[in-house]
């Protein structure tokens, strides 16, 4: 328990460190342009990008990974900024600019001002990733490898929210620098030498804004850490280390769900969303064999000799407790008996469950389980383990019926199938993507 508290405290601290490292490299590049010759600045940007890239790779292999969306976005910003600066240097070297523009308005000692390049690029890249945060490939890979925010518990949700919050702050900061910098450049800047007002606008003002954001986020994360210690960690200490067991009940072409509580005052732990009816917390265990899983299910449901099968486990180091997910297939008699004893439960087909997921009426953890079940099953039926089509029909999609799950021999605990579902022979540039992910990113099939 003590070690988990230390690890989680480090995780929250590293979120602040992510801001210092990510946005700090952008600010440092702006400051270094005061002393470094413009010809060297693109390579400094590429060097910073490489450092961030190595840290992102290290985080993927970490025992306690955290949200690295900000360093990932900043690495893309540094790449495009370095590319633009390199192109400008090449144009000046070939005298292209002098042949197009009036030579009296050109200062070869100052071919560009870093802030005027990196600020708008930062605004565009961070804004695009913030708007498309739910479709971001980097976030999608993280969910595959480490689980959804609901599966990772309190810290998983915090990582997701703070990662997106940092992107929004970076967008606002870069937008302010872009507007102020370009407005000053258009109205007051004289392209001869850098005056004191020039230095303040193009170098020191962004630094002061970055420093203010760093202090603000530091205080914010101290508040999050205090809340975690007082509420979440305190609750865990009272309950002790635990393991959650979750059983998905399947009969014919239906899945059983418990209806939300209509009178939350009567419920000990009110549930406002649809969820599986059979779930419980037990003392912490690292593994669970089939015999014990059957015993737990029989004790909770009153159904003996049910066909219980292991689905997958969530054991990432960031979770509040490890979770074991199971599939339970009921016969007609078992289904009737359970429905009679549990009048607050109903059986739903896949279309109804999909509507619940889309309308956010289903418990987030249950949504993760259903999405994983459907995604891996469809990938297994459509592609081989290396992502190649099983059938010579491009974009062929097989049928999915809940009643067929009982017949399939699918390893839902193998995250490689999630990668296959996202990156397969039907996706553009499949071979190139596969090479990049396997030998550069170090993940995927």
């Amino acid at each position: 328990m003590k070690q988990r508290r230390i690890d989680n405290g480090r995780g929250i601290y590293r979120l602040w460190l992510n801001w210092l490292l990510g946005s700090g490299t952008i600010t440092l590049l702006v400051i270094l342009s005061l002393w470094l010759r413009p010809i060297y600045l693109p390579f400094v940007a590429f060097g910073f990008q490489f450092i961030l890239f190595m840290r992102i790779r290290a985080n993927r292999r970490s025992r306690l990974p955290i949200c690295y969306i900000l360093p990932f976005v900043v690495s893309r910003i540094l790449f495009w900024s370095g590319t633009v600066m390199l192109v400008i240097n090449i144009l000046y070297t070939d005298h292209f600019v002098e042949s197009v523009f009036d030579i009296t308005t050109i200062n070869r000692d100052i071919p560009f001002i870093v802030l005027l390049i990196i600020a708008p690029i930062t605004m565009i890249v961070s804004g695009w990733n913030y708007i498309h945060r739910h479709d971001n490939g980097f976030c999608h890979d993280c969910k595959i490898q480490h689980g959804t925010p609901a599966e990772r518990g309190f810290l998983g949700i915090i990582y997701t929210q703070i990662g997106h919050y940092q992107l929004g702050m970076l967008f606002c900061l870069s937008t302010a620098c872009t507007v102020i910098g370009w407005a000053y450049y258009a109205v007051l800047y004289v392209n001869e030498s850098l005056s004191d007002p020039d230095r303040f606008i193009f170098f020191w003002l962004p630094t002061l804004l970055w420093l203010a954001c760093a202090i603000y986020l530091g205080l914010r994360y101290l508040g999050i850490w205090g809340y975690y210690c007082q509420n979440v960690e305190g609750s865990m200490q009272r309950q002790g280390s635990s393991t959650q067991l979750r059983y998905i009940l399947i009969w014919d072409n239906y899945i059983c769900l418990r209806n939300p509580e209509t009178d939350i005052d009567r419920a000990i732990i009110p549930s406002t969303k649809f969820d599986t009816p059979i779930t419980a917390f037990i003392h912490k265990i690292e593994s669970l064999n089939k015999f014990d899983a059957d015993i737990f299910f029989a004790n909770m449901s009153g159904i003996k000799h049910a066909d219980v099968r292991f689905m997958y486990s969530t054991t990432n180091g960031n979770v509040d407790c490890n979770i074991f997910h199971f599939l339970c297939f009921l016969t007609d008699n078992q289904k009737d008996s359970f429905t009679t004893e549990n009048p607050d439960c109903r059986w739903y087909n896949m279309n109804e469950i999909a509507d619940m997921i889309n309308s956010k009426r289903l418990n987030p953890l249950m949504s993760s389980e259903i999405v994983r079940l459907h995604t891996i099953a469809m990938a297994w039926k459509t592609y081989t383990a290396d992502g190649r089509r099983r059938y010579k029909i491009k974009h062929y999609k097989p049928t999915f019926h809940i009643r067929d799950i009982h017949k399939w021999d699918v390893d839902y605990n193998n995250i490689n199938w999630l990668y296959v579902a996202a990156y397969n022979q039907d996706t553009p540039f499949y071979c190139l993507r596969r090479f990049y992910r396997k030998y550069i990113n170090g993940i995927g099939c």
Side-chain angles (χ1 to χ4, degrees):
M1 181 69 71
K2 182 179 179 181
Q3 183 60 44
R4 179 174 61 184
R5 180 177 182 178
I6 294 173
D7 290 338
N8 292 343
R10 289 174 179 171
I12 295 175
Y13 164 74
R14 286 171 63 193
L15 290 172
W16 183 59
L17 189 63
N18 270 0
W19 173 264
L20 297 181
L21 179 65
S23 61
T25 53
I26 297 176
T27 307
L28 182 59
L29 184 62
V30 172
I31 295 300
L32 288 177
S33 63
L34 270 172
W35 301 286
L36 292 179
R37 293 179 58 190
I39 193 174
Y40 299 127
L41 291 175
F43 303 102
V44 175
F46 295 144
F48 286 162
Q49 182 204 7
F50 180 76
I51 292 173
L52 292 179
F53 174 77
M54 295 306 296
R55 289 189 63 88
I56 293 170
R57 277 186 64 99
N59 182 68
R60 291 185 185 276
R61 300 187 296 266
S62 173
R63 181 178 66 90
L64 298 169
I66 67 169
C67 179
Y68 253 61
I69 183 61
L70 184 74
F72 169 77
V73 170
V74 171
S75 69
R76 297 300 187 264
I77 292 169
L78 291 171
F79 171 78
W80 289 113
S81 299
T83 301
V84 171
M85 289 186 286
L86 183 62
V87 169
I88 293 176
N89 282 334
I90 292 174
L91 294 178
Y92 267 82
T93 302
D94 294 337
H95 306 288
F96 175 81
V97 175
E98 294 179 0
S99 63
V100 175
F101 298 97
D102 185 359
I103 193 172
T104 60
T105 64
I106 295 175
N107 186 347
R108 295 183 61 85
D109 295 331
I110 310 177
F112 55 80
I113 296 175
V114 171
L115 180 69
L116 300 181
I117 294 175
I118 203 168
I121 291 177
T122 301
M123 178 182 67
I124 294 171
V125 176
S126 61
W128 190 94
N129 281 274
Y130 182 80
I131 294 173
H132 296 87
R133 56 188 181 272
H134 298 298
D135 301 321
N136 188 291
F138 182 83
C139 294
H140 184 66
D141 288 345
C142 182
K143 291 175 183 177
I144 291 176
Q145 191 169 10
H146 306 302
T148 63
E151 291 172 326
R152 297 178 69 178
F154 173 81
L155 282 185
I157 297 172
I158 288 296
Y159 288 161
T160 301
Q161 293 177 346
I162 289 182
H164 295 154
Y165 183 85
Q166 288 182 345
L167 281 182
M169 179 166 284
L170 184 63
F171 171 75
C172 294
L173 184 62
S174 60
T175 301
C177 290
T178 299
V179 172
I180 295 173
W182 276 99
Y184 180 87
Y185 179 83
V187 177
L188 299 174
Y189 177 70
V190 178
N191 193 17
E192 292 183 0
S193 61
L194 293 174
S195 63
D196 289 339
D198 297 341
R199 293 172 185 270
F200 176 78
I201 294 296
F202 295 137
F203 303 98
W204 302 122
L205 179 60
T207 305
L208 292 174
L209 291 175
W210 171 80
L211 185 60
C213 290
I215 295 174
Y216 167 74
L217 288 178
L219 296 175
R220 179 183 175 88
Y221 297 155
L222 280 176
I224 293 175
W225 169 241
Y227 173 84
Y228 174 79
C229 292
Q230 182 177 356
N231 294 277
V232 179
E233 186 68 26
S235 176
M236 291 179 186
Q237 289 177 350
R238 291 190 296 270
Q239 296 176 359
S241 297
S242 60
T243 293
Q244 185 178 10
L245 306 179
R246 292 180 57 84
Y247 296 83
I248 300 177
L249 274 60
I250 297 176
W251 167 75
D252 191 48
N253 211 33
Y254 300 90
I255 291 178
C256 185
L257 298 176
R258 185 181 299 280
N259 297 330
E261 296 287 349
T262 55
D263 186 0
I264 61 175
D265 293 331
R266 296 181 57 186
I268 298 176
I269 304 178
S271 175
T272 59
K273 295 181 181 294
F274 291 88
D275 196 8
T276 181
I278 306 299
T279 179
F281 289 89
I282 62 174
H283 289 297
K284 180 70 176 289
I285 56 176
E286 298 299 332
S287 61
L288 185 67
N289 58 45
K290 187 179 187 310
F291 177 79
D292 291 334
D294 291 344
I295 295 297
F296 280 120
F297 178 74
N299 291 336
M300 288 186 288
S301 66
I303 300 175
K304 297 181 179 180
H305 309 299
D307 187 357
V308 178
R309 300 184 185 181
F310 172 72
M311 185 180 176
Y312 72 102
S313 61
T314 305
T315 58
N316 183 277
N318 294 132
V319 298
D320 299 333
C321 66
N322 57 341
I323 309 172
F324 294 97
H325 312 258
F326 295 91
L327 299 173
C328 303
F329 301 94
L330 305 186
T331 63
D332 293 344
N333 291 335
Q334 290 171 335
K335 176 258 182 183
D336 293 337
S337 174
F338 182 82
T339 305
T340 302
E341 296 294 329
N342 298 271
D344 58 340
C345 297
R346 279 189 55 199
W347 297 84
Y348 297 88
N349 60 38
M350 197 62 191
N351 290 333
E352 293 172 319
I353 293 176
D355 290 338
M356 293 181 188
I357 294 175
N358 294 331
S359 60
K360 301 187 184 304
R361 290 183 292 142
L362 198 63
N363 181 286
L365 195 50
M366 185 69 181
S367 296
S368 300
E369 292 167 339
I370 297 298
V371 169
R372 187 187 187 106
L373 175 67
H374 179 268
T375 302
I376 289 183
M378 293 295 286
W380 172 78
K381 293 183 68 176
T382 310
Y383 307 100
T384 62
D386 60 355
R388 300 190 181 278
R389 288 189 294 268
R390 293 186 184 273
Y391 311 98
K392 296 181 179 180
I393 306 174
K394 193 172 183 180
H395 301 298
Y396 167 74
K397 295 297 181 184
T399 57
F400 177 89
H401 298 291
I402 295 176
R403 64 169 64 93
D404 295 334
I405 298 174
H406 190 262
K407 309 172 187 176
W408 300 333
D409 183 19
V410 186
D411 184 4
Y412 296 101
N413 203 39
N414 185 357
I415 64 172
N416 182 68
W417 288 113
L418 295 174
Y419 287 117
V420 170
Y423 308 99
N424 50 66
Q425 199 171 3
D426 287 328
T427 56
F429 309 107
Y430 161 69
C431 294
L432 182 61
R433 285 172 180 261
R434 185 166 181 263
F435 175 85
Y436 179 83
R437 295 171 58 78
K438 186 174 183 179
Y439 296 105
I440 299 179
N441 270 355
I443 58 174
C445 56

